[in-house]
Amino acid sequence: MIIQRVVLNSRPGKNGVPVAEDFRLEESTIADVVQTGQVRVRTLYLSVDPYMRCRMNEDTGSDYLQPWQLSEVADGGGVGVVEESKHSKLTKGDFVTSFTWPWQTVAILNGDLVQKLVPQLVNGRLSYFLGAAGITGLTALLGIREKGHVAAGAKQTMVVSGAAGACGSLAGQIGRLEGCSRVVGIAGTDEKCSILVQEMGFDAAINYKKGDVARQLRELCPGGVDVYFDNVGGDISDTVISQMNQNSHIILCGQISQYNKDVPYPPPLPPDIEKIQKERNITRERFLVLNYMDKQEASLLQLCQWIQEGKLKVRETVVEGLANIGAAFQSMMNGGNIGKQIVLVSK
């Protein structure tokens, strides 16, 4: 069977900026026969995520991420529909997902390595299983529960950087649902800041490209910062940390500002900020959602319940066509998307 797939065309280098041309669309073939235990699936949606930048390097810098190989198909979170099954628990028409879904139009997968989906849990919005009701939502929820130490009634203030992104936009809302009394987001455009406040329920949002971020933080968080959901690292994070309270907590989710730099993860703090962190006993521990997968089922049900109840607002930036996945990746790395970056492969 002839299919289309996207392969890694070139590596940007550890310090390079990814471009659309780092990926290449090509024709390929897959077997016509499905073996016992396998399913043939048609790809519906693919997820494009910041962590994938690390997979473009020969050395990902992580023991749990495998590098993409040159001229080999890329992979990540995906959702599709079963077209043929020789697996005992899956039938034609089932919707399934996997965290290692190949970037191609049709694939033959091991049925044991895909998860059957229940569309009703997300009101039929299958792409949500790659975002708010998937690994992104789990990262936000478990990050807050495991590293944020949020307590209802404690009148805590949370700050979220990269707040208009896939994880940040959920984290701010979940922080509120879990008990924070004030949530402030940091984003890169006035449009994003408006969406955070008007749609997502943030108390306020700061456009870091305008004005004095430190001054605005002092005004918007007069009692200091108790919980910081860090998606970006760099100067923004240094500014937030300098205003954090004694015994406060950093949820170290991502460091997108550092992904095009050859630095360790998590990146070291500047000496003056590290001094503040230690003197104020601010926790800053690496968070990896895969370490908490024993809590996955209950957490996903909680996320789906919030979605059904309208308590968790979901934003997606959808790009149509497998041929445009490289451009979607470049846009995401440049901060061009609001919410989850999704590629619609087929309807």
Side-chain angles (χ1 to χ4, degrees):
M1 177 183 292
I2 297 174
I3 63 164
Q4 288 187 314
R5 67 177 193 171
V6 171
V7 302
L8 184 64
N9 188 52
S10 55
R11 300 190 190 277
K14 284 200 171 184
N15 298 303
V17 177
V19 295
E21 292 73 24
D22 287 325
F23 299 96
R24 182 177 76 248
L25 181 71
E26 64 180 27
E27 281 194 348
S28 185
T29 59
I30 60 171
D32 292 322
V33 178
V34 177
Q35 303 293 332
T36 301
Q38 294 181 330
V39 290
R40 188 179 76 243
V41 294
R42 176 166 52 88
T43 305
L44 300 176
Y45 299 99
L46 293 171
S47 175
V48 182
D49 302 288
Y51 82 88
M52 293 174 170
R53 172 62 184 85
C54 303
R55 300 192 67 190
M56 299 180 79
N57 298 332
E58 276 189 281
D59 178 7
T60 65
S62 171
D63 54 4
Y64 69 93
L65 286 179
Q66 295 298 313
W68 287 329
Q69 300 300 318
L70 288 172
S71 296
E72 295 294 334
V73 66
D75 68 297
V79 165
V81 60
V82 175
E83 293 190 325
E84 183 180 349
S85 175
K86 289 191 177 178
H87 189 277
S88 60
K89 295 182 180 179
L90 297 168
T91 61
K92 182 179 179 179
D94 284 345
F95 295 105
V96 293
T97 186
S98 169
F99 194 57
T100 56
W101 197 286
W103 286 7
Q104 56 193 55
T105 50
V106 179
I108 294 178
L109 305 177
N110 182 338
D112 290 335
L113 301 182
V114 300
Q115 180 182 356
K116 186 176 177 179
L117 300 174
V118 182
Q120 293 85 349
L121 289 175
V122 289
N123 302 322
R125 298 293 296 270
L126 288 168
S127 59
Y128 283 13
F129 287 115
L130 297 177
I135 198 74
T136 308
L138 284 174
T139 299
L141 177 56
L142 290 170
I144 289 168
R145 287 184 171 177
E146 300 297 329
K147 299 294 185 181
H149 302 276
V150 173
K155 296 184 177 180
Q156 293 163 296
T157 292
M158 172 186 278
V159 171
V160 183
S161 59
C167 203
S169 60
L170 299 172
Q173 298 178 76
I174 292 170
R176 170 84 75 200
L177 290 166
E178 289 290 285
C180 286
S181 61
R182 186 166 183 75
V183 178
V184 176
I186 302 175
T189 69
D190 289 341
E191 178 192 11
K192 290 179 178 180
C193 290
S194 177
I195 288 170
L196 291 174
V197 175
Q198 300 300 324
E199 292 186 21
M200 307 291 186
F202 284 61
D203 292 283
I206 297 169
N207 181 348
Y208 70 86
K209 295 181 180 178
K210 287 186 175 180
D212 185 335
V213 174
R215 178 185 58 78
Q216 293 178 76
L217 266 179
R218 285 192 293 270
E219 293 173 355
L220 295 172
C221 308
V225 178
D226 302 295
V227 183
Y228 173 38
F229 199 99
D230 185 6
N231 285 303
V232 302
D235 294 341
I236 294 295
S237 291
D238 296 344
T239 301
V240 176
I241 294 170
S242 68
Q243 297 190 33
M244 294 187 73
N245 293 325
Q246 192 76 24
N247 301 318
S248 54
H249 305 282
I250 299 169
I251 302 165
L252 195 59
C253 178
Q255 304 280 275
I256 195 169
S257 72
Q258 308 298 301
Y259 286 170
N260 293 326
K261 300 176 182 178
D262 187 8
V263 295
Y265 188 88
L269 296 171
D272 57 330
I273 302 301
E274 185 178 22
K275 182 180 179 182
I276 290 172
Q277 180 209 346
K278 291 180 178 178
E279 288 179 346
R280 298 181 191 172
N281 193 35
I282 302 170
T283 63
R284 182 181 184 257
E285 302 165 343
R286 183 173 185 172
F287 171 72
L288 180 60
V289 69
L290 298 177
N291 291 337
Y292 301 94
M293 296 315 281
D294 59 315
K295 301 180 180 181
Q296 173 184 359
E297 185 175 354
S299 299
L300 284 176
L301 288 175
Q302 175 66 85
L303 291 164
C304 290
Q305 181 181 336
W306 282 336
I307 291 169
Q308 290 175 335
E309 294 172 349
K311 293 179 179 178
L312 197 59
K313 309 295 183 182
V314 182
R315 268 273 186 162
E316 295 177 321
T317 299
V318 180
V319 174
E320 293 194 24
L322 186 62
N324 295 316
I325 199 167
F329 190 94
Q330 180 177 344
S331 175
M332 175 205 59
M333 290 302 300
N334 290 334
N337 60 297
I338 299 176
K340 185 72 178 181
Q341 179 74 75
I342 296 288
V343 173
L344 171 61
V345 177
S346 62
K347 297 179 180 179

